[in-house]
Amino acid sequence: MADRILVLYGSYRSDRAGIHLANYAVSALKARGNDVELIDAKAIGLPMLDRMYKEYAPGTAPTMLQGLAEKIVAADAFVFVTGEYNWGPQPGLKNLTDHFLEEWFWRPAAVLSYSAGPIGGARSNLTWHGILSEMGMVVISSTINVGTIAGALDESGRPSGDSGARLERAFPRFADDLAWWTEAAKQQRQRRKPPY
């Protein structure tokens, strides 16, 4: 049975170079036989966090929040595609993530970062490792930083230039690592109920 993977992306900018990276991740994971969906924070348009999903009485959460909660709970794994803003994570993606907590538990997450410059969002990538771990996900050790994002992928999401070539070389290991942890987490959840 195919793994259900959500690829989450959070830029709200008008010119979003990172959307090509998110689309690349979706296509590459689908090509490996996974059931993959892009969750675009800008397209969903959640308000700034006031009440988490769990703070609504059952059946009273806004429709978009309820639908997203159901998708998160049904997922086997997550890929967070994040840019870097002033050494930190994108606020749109962080806001989307913070609307939920228990819904994320006991599944693996991977971080795919990018930036306009050569370091590929490494500082944001590192920050996300801590955030996602705190939120109950198992963050895989493989990670990808795509530098000079504007030249790494063309408009159709195909890798180009040196940065694109590095992405293509790195992605199979990244996806293999995520697949291993996804299988391990699925088996463990079937074998034993989570401790809380």
Side-chain angles (χ1 to χ4, degrees), residues 1 28 192:
M1 186 171 162
R192 181 179 174 193

Side-chain angles (χ1 to χ4, degrees), residues 29-166:
L29 290 166
K30 280 184 177 179
R32 294 171 62 97
N34 297 295
D35 176 12
V36 188
E37 182 178 354
L38 175 64
I39 303 296
D40 183 345
K42 183 178 180 180
I44 293 169
L46 290 175
M48 289 301 295
L49 180 63
D50 174 25
R51 297 175 72 193
M52 294 176 71
Y53 170 71
K54 70 179 183 177
E55 294 171 325
Y56 288 91
T60 66
T63 304
M64 66 180 150
L65 201 59
Q66 180 66 42
L68 186 51
E70 290 169 4
K71 289 179 181 186
I72 293 169
V73 169
D76 297 309
F78 311 104
V79 174
F80 289 81
V81 179
T82 180
E84 180 173 301
Y85 293 178
N86 301 314
W87 288 36
Q90 289 167 322
L93 185 57
K94 180 71 166 65
N95 182 58
L96 183 151
T97 306
D98 285 342
H99 274 82
F100 306 95
L101 186 59
E102 290 86 353
E103 293 76 20
W104 301 111
F105 282 8
W106 315 116
R107 266 80 49 76
V111 183
L112 185 54
S113 65
Y114 66 92
S115 64
I119 66 166
R123 293 167 293 219
S124 176
N125 195 311
L126 178 63
T127 301
W128 273 106
H129 276 252
I131 291 167
L132 301 177
S133 293
E134 174 62 19
M135 298 187 81
M137 289 169 259
V138 177
V139 185
I140 69 167
S141 60
S142 294
T143 189
I144 298 178
N145 305 325
V146 181
T148 321
I149 188 64
L153 297 140
D154 65 20
E155 289 295 318
S156 63
R158 287 190 301 264
S160 62
D162 291 341
S163 290
R166 282 192 294 276

